[in-house]
């Protein structure tokens, strides 16, 4: 299974970014391989429509779960349409911590 | 002749000026007043009259899912993020769409056609025999008012004297409004904010090559800094409207002060004649 | 951190002055964003010391390579924004009208059109007595104001750190820049004035703000200039369930304060008293000290 976490930096020890569409990095976590791959979000500075375009990136990567802070309305609709589950990470936690919390079912599901 | 009333800063009394100015001139000739402040149109609040309403529309895509194979080219092309291609369907965000028509061109399967979507209205109201008010009104929640401004200006075309009332600021809607005008009246107020924004407005009209003059509204007599700037920039100060509680009160109620204080009508007509002399237009 | 935007619908209702007052009244560590990038005025109040200046690149703009252009006219025909014109025997792009959609690059048979970056303004990050300020200057006549607002907010969010309160001075209107300002805020304070147009614009901006699920507060500036309209505004707010947190009287001291570049709250005057009372109501509603 592939998860995506929005992050302020490229490393799994970076803090979770609370904004989805304008997150600097998407970190994809492959649960079978236990690998983390960071991808810079090219839409972080884009003019508009960043929510749907970022959601498209997740779809194209085949992620089925997203861990982030907050979602805009347009991103929500795309993620919902694609059947991606969304969980809210605790403020200030790192990507690794958020992953652990997800595995222990401690995250609040927001979509 | 086309005149535009503009101001860098909001709330300097641009609409107040436009309404009184247009009404005063209409006593001696035909005038079409166009409210181009489509985000917050206010001129209709000053005038009564039956209006004819027409819709302003833009072209947006419709997806034929029989033909669409979800190749994703449209979503990839769209620079505004208005199209998301999901594993089983397409999602379209009309509020992000700029109606450029690109998705239809890139679609290899001819699965995209277009339909009209209403984003605003144009109200066309004859106020009296000599004054006509055309207002562009952007629907709430729509981000882009440019097509509404274009439609309102288009509706006024073909008349001898047109006055455009611009939105505040210096961005695209203001440029769209000022373009094609023969003369700009910049309405300011005598505060540091007013002056700061007057400088921006002066820069815009200069960039667009439109000659301009200044009206100082709500003047409390302490206009030295504004006067110094205008001298330096070669902008004529056409008129000062003093801060006056009676004017403020009439204004707040949606009344026009030049009606209650008819001596102002003559002053507005003189201002118009002055502009005609400067632009070489016939009054 | 709490985030509040001061907005107005109608321009010139006193938004910036009220933002300035909030800045002096709020306790704790603050950070500011001047989101009225068309006509940024907050800097006149704070005398900021600019620390960094960055170029702002808005949407890309189309460009035609005259050497490759065969003058087929496709670009002009397909451009829906009237941004391509034919003058002096050649096609050229009017950068003011270009919305950066790139349709012209699709329809050009010789690849003569391409999209180029453009500098449309500057983004500043400054230090003020009351905390960091992100602000910007848009090249007059440039589009994509909404994006520049998002950029200003991004700068502020990056450096907000553990600060307690973000105060944004918003643009007038209800279009793209306003929407970009309100996005991600916890609350908006709508500054209105007792005039028919003030009330009309208040209703329009409330409709837009409702889409964002933010707390909405209203302040009536110069409320005593026309009390009958002020009463109508109060009635409307009550019907809508929006708290009127401030009733600021018309007070010549306010203009005196602006001219002296001082916050009005440093004066002992009726407007300053009203602003203090307003801030107490907002602070308790936001759950702050």
């Amino acid at each position: 299974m592939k998860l995506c976490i929005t992050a302020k930096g490229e490393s799994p020890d970076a803090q979770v970014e609370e904004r989805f569409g304008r997150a600097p990095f998407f970190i994809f976590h492959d649960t079978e391989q236990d690998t983390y791959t960071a991808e810079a979000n090219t839409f972080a500075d884009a003019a508009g429509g960043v929510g749907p375009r970022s959601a498209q990136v997740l779809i194209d990567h085949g992620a089925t779960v997203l861990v982030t802070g907050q979602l805009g309305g347009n991103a929500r609709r795309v993620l919902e349409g694609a059947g991606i589950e969304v969980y809210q990470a605790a403020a200030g936690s790192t990507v690794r911590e958020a992953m652990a919390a997800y595995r222990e079912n401690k995250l609040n599901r927001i979509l | 002749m086309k005149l535009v009333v503009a101001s860098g800063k909001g709330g300097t009394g641009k609409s107040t000026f436009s309404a009184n100015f247009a009404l005063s001139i209409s006593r001696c000739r035909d005038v079409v007043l166009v409210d181009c402040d489509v985000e917050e149109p206010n001129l209709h609040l000053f005038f009564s009259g039956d209006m004819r309403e027409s819709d302003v529309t833009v072209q947006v895509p419709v997806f034929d899912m029989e033909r669409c194979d979800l190749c994703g080219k449209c979503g990839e092309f769209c620079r505004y993020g208005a199209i998301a291609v999901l594993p089983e369907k397409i999602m379209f965000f009309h509020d992000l769409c700029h109606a450029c028509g690109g998705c239809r061109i890139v679609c290899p399967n001819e699965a995209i056609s277009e339909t009209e979507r209403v984003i605003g209205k144009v109200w066309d109201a004859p106020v009296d025999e000599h004054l006509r008010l055309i207002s562009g009104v952007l629907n709430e929640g729509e981000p882009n008012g440019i097509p509404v401004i274009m439609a309102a200006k288009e509706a006024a075309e073909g008349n001898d004297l047109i006055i455009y009332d611009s939105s505040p600021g210096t961005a695209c809607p203001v440029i769209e409004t000022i373009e094609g005008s023969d003369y700009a009246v910049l309405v300011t107020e005598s505060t540091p904010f007013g002056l700061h924004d007057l400088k921006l407005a002066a820069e815009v009209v200069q960039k667009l090559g439109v000659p301009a003059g200044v009206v100082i509204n709500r003047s409390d007599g302490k206009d030295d800094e504004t006067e110094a700037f205008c001298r330096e920039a070669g902008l004529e100060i056409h008129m000062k409207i003093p801060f006056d509680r009676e004017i403020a009160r009439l204004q707040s109620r949606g009344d026009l002060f030049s009606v209650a204080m008819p001596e102002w009508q003559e002053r507005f007509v003189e201002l118009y004649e002055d502009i005609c002399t400067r632009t070489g237009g016939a009054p | 951190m709490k985030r509040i935007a001061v907005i107005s619908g109608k321009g010139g209702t006193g938004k910036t002055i009220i933002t300035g007052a909030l800045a002096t009244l709020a306790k704790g560590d603050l950070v500011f964003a001047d989101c009225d990038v068309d006509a940024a005025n907050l800097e006149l109040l704070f005398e900021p010391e600019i620390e960094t200046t960055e170029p702002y690149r808005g949407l890309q703009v189309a460009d035609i390579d005259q050497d490759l252009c065969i003058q087929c006219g496709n670009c002009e025909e397909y451009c829906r924004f009237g941004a391509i014109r034919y003058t002096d025997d050649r096609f050229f792009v009017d950068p003011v009208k270009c919305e950066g959609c790139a349709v012209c690059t699709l329809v050009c048979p010789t690849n003569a059109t391409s999209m180029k970056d453009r500098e449309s303004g500057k983004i500043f990050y400054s230090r003020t007595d009351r905390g960091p300020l992100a602000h910007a200057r848009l090249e007059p006549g440039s589009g994509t104001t909404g994006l520049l607002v998002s950029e200003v907010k991004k700068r502020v969010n990056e450096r907000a750190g553990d600060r307690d309160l973000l105060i944004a001075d918003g643009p007038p209107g209800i279009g793209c820049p306003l929407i970009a300002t309100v996005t991600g805020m916890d609350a908006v304070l709508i500054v209105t004035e007792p005039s028919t147009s003030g009330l009309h614009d208040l209703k329009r901006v409330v409709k837009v703000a409702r889409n964002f699920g933010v707390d909405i507060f209203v302040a009536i500036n110069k409320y005593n200039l026309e009390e009958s309209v002020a009463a109508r505004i109060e009635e409307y707010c009550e019907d809508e369930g929006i708290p009127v947190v401030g009733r600021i009287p018309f007070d010549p001291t306010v203009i005196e304060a602006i001219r002296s570049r001082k916050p009005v709250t440093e004066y002992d005057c009726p407007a300053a008293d009203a602003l203090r009372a307003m801030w107490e109501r907002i602070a308790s509603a936001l759950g702050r000290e």
Side-chain angles (χ1 to χ4, degrees), chain A residues 18-19 22 44-48 70, chain C residues 3 59 144 147 150-151 154 157 184:
Chain A
E18 61 181 79
R19 297 166 305 162
R22 296 205 182 270
D45 301 332
Q70 44 178 272
Chain C
R3 301 179 172 94
L59 281 174
T144 68
L147 172 59
S150 302
E151 289 291 315
K154 191 174 127 200
N157 278 315

Short mmCIF file of all heavy atoms in Angstrom, two decimals, chain A residues 18-19 22 44-48 70, chain C residues 3 59 144 147 150-151 154 157 184:
data_model
loop_
_atom_site.label_atom_id
_atom_site.label_comp_id
_atom_site.label_asym_id
_atom_site.label_seq_id
_atom_site.Cartn_x
_atom_site.Cartn_y
_atom_site.Cartn_z
N GLU A 18 0.97 21.35 7.23
CA GLU A 18 -0.48 21.31 7.45
C GLU A 18 -1.32 21.66 6.23
O GLU A 18 -2.46 21.28 6.12
CB GLU A 18 -0.88 22.15 8.66
CG GLU A 18 -0.56 23.61 8.56
CD GLU A 18 -0.97 24.35 9.84
OE1 GLU A 18 -0.25 24.27 10.84
OE2 GLU A 18 -2.04 24.98 9.79
N ARG A 19 -0.71 22.39 5.26
CA ARG A 19 -1.48 22.69 4.05
C ARG A 19 -1.26 21.57 3.04
O ARG A 19 -0.13 21.14 2.85
CB ARG A 19 -1.02 24.02 3.46
CG ARG A 19 -1.27 25.21 4.37
CD ARG A 19 -0.51 26.43 3.90
NE ARG A 19 0.91 26.16 3.76
CZ ARG A 19 1.74 26.91 3.05
NH1 ARG A 19 1.29 27.96 2.41
NH2 ARG A 19 3.02 26.61 2.99
N ARG A 22 -0.42 23.34 -1.04
CA ARG A 22 0.79 24.14 -1.09
C ARG A 22 1.91 23.56 -0.23
O ARG A 22 2.86 24.25 0.15
CB ARG A 22 0.50 25.59 -0.69
CG ARG A 22 -0.43 26.27 -1.68
CD ARG A 22 -0.30 27.76 -1.72
NE ARG A 22 -1.26 28.36 -2.66
CZ ARG A 22 -1.01 28.58 -3.94
NH1 ARG A 22 0.16 28.27 -4.45
NH2 ARG A 22 -1.92 29.11 -4.72
N ALA A 44 3.37 23.92 -5.44
CA ALA A 44 3.37 24.67 -4.19
C ALA A 44 3.29 26.18 -4.45
O ALA A 44 2.67 26.91 -3.70
CB ALA A 44 4.62 24.34 -3.38
N ASP A 45 3.91 26.62 -5.56
CA ASP A 45 3.89 28.05 -5.87
C ASP A 45 3.00 28.38 -7.05
O ASP A 45 3.08 29.48 -7.59
CB ASP A 45 5.31 28.52 -6.24
CG ASP A 45 6.29 28.26 -5.13
OD1 ASP A 45 5.84 28.24 -3.97
OD2 ASP A 45 7.49 28.08 -5.42
N ALA A 46 2.19 27.44 -7.48
CA ALA A 46 1.43 27.66 -8.71
C ALA A 46 0.34 28.71 -8.52
O ALA A 46 -0.05 29.03 -7.40
CB ALA A 46 0.81 26.37 -9.20
N ALA A 47 -0.10 29.24 -9.63
CA ALA A 47 -1.04 30.36 -9.59
C ALA A 47 -2.36 30.00 -8.95
O ALA A 47 -2.91 30.76 -8.17
CB ALA A 47 -1.28 30.85 -11.01
N GLY A 48 -2.88 28.86 -9.27
CA GLY A 48 -4.19 28.54 -8.73
C GLY A 48 -4.51 27.09 -9.01
O GLY A 48 -3.75 26.40 -9.70
N GLN A 70 -4.78 20.18 6.72
CA GLN A 70 -6.12 20.58 6.30
C GLN A 70 -6.28 20.53 4.79
O GLN A 70 -5.32 20.66 4.05
CB GLN A 70 -6.46 21.96 6.84
CG GLN A 70 -5.32 22.96 6.68
CD GLN A 70 -5.71 24.34 7.18
OE1 GLN A 70 -6.25 25.12 6.43
NE2 GLN A 70 -5.41 24.64 8.44
N ARG C 3 -5.44 33.07 12.95
CA ARG C 3 -5.25 33.91 11.77
C ARG C 3 -6.51 34.72 11.52
O ARG C 3 -7.59 34.15 11.38
CB ARG C 3 -4.98 33.04 10.54
CG ARG C 3 -3.76 32.16 10.66
CD ARG C 3 -3.62 31.33 9.39
NE ARG C 3 -2.38 30.60 9.36
CZ ARG C 3 -2.23 29.33 9.77
NH1 ARG C 3 -3.28 28.67 10.22
NH2 ARG C 3 -1.06 28.74 9.71
N LEU C 59 1.81 34.41 -13.47
CA LEU C 59 1.58 33.45 -14.54
C LEU C 59 2.55 33.73 -15.67
O LEU C 59 2.94 34.87 -15.89
CB LEU C 59 0.16 33.61 -15.07
CG LEU C 59 -0.95 32.99 -14.26
CD1 LEU C 59 -2.29 33.38 -14.86
CD2 LEU C 59 -0.82 31.48 -14.25
N THR C 144 -3.01 38.47 -12.05
CA THR C 144 -2.69 37.46 -11.03
C THR C 144 -2.40 38.03 -9.65
O THR C 144 -1.48 37.64 -8.99
CB THR C 144 -1.50 36.55 -11.44
OG1 THR C 144 -0.30 37.31 -11.44
CG2 THR C 144 -1.73 35.91 -12.77
N LEU C 147 -2.59 35.32 -6.90
CA LEU C 147 -1.39 34.52 -6.68
C LEU C 147 -0.39 35.26 -5.81
O LEU C 147 0.23 34.69 -4.91
CB LEU C 147 -0.76 34.16 -8.02
CG LEU C 147 0.61 33.48 -7.95
CD1 LEU C 147 0.53 32.18 -7.17
CD2 LEU C 147 1.14 33.21 -9.34
N SER C 150 -1.32 34.92 -2.33
CA SER C 150 -0.94 33.60 -1.81
C SER C 150 0.54 33.57 -1.47
O SER C 150 0.95 32.96 -0.48
CB SER C 150 -1.24 32.51 -2.83
OG SER C 150 -2.60 32.53 -3.16
N GLU C 151 1.35 34.22 -2.29
CA GLU C 151 2.79 34.26 -2.05
C GLU C 151 3.12 35.02 -0.77
O GLU C 151 3.96 34.60 0.02
CB GLU C 151 3.51 34.93 -3.23
CG GLU C 151 3.52 34.09 -4.49
CD GLU C 151 4.41 32.86 -4.34
OE1 GLU C 151 5.53 32.99 -3.83
OE2 GLU C 151 3.96 31.76 -4.70
N LYS C 154 2.26 32.92 2.08
CA LYS C 154 3.21 31.83 2.24
C LYS C 154 4.44 32.31 3.02
O LYS C 154 4.91 31.64 3.94
CB LYS C 154 3.63 31.32 0.86
CG LYS C 154 4.40 30.02 0.89
CD LYS C 154 4.63 29.53 -0.51
CE LYS C 154 6.11 29.27 -0.70
NZ LYS C 154 6.50 29.24 -2.09
N ASN C 157 3.51 32.60 6.61
CA ASN C 157 3.32 31.31 7.27
C ASN C 157 4.65 30.62 7.53
O ASN C 157 4.82 29.97 8.56
CB ASN C 157 2.42 30.41 6.43
CG ASN C 157 0.96 30.73 6.65
OD1 ASN C 157 0.52 30.91 7.78
ND2 ASN C 157 0.21 30.85 5.58
N GLY C 184 -7.72 29.77 4.33
CA GLY C 184 -6.81 29.39 5.41
C GLY C 184 -6.88 30.26 6.66
O GLY C 184 -6.11 30.07 7.59
#
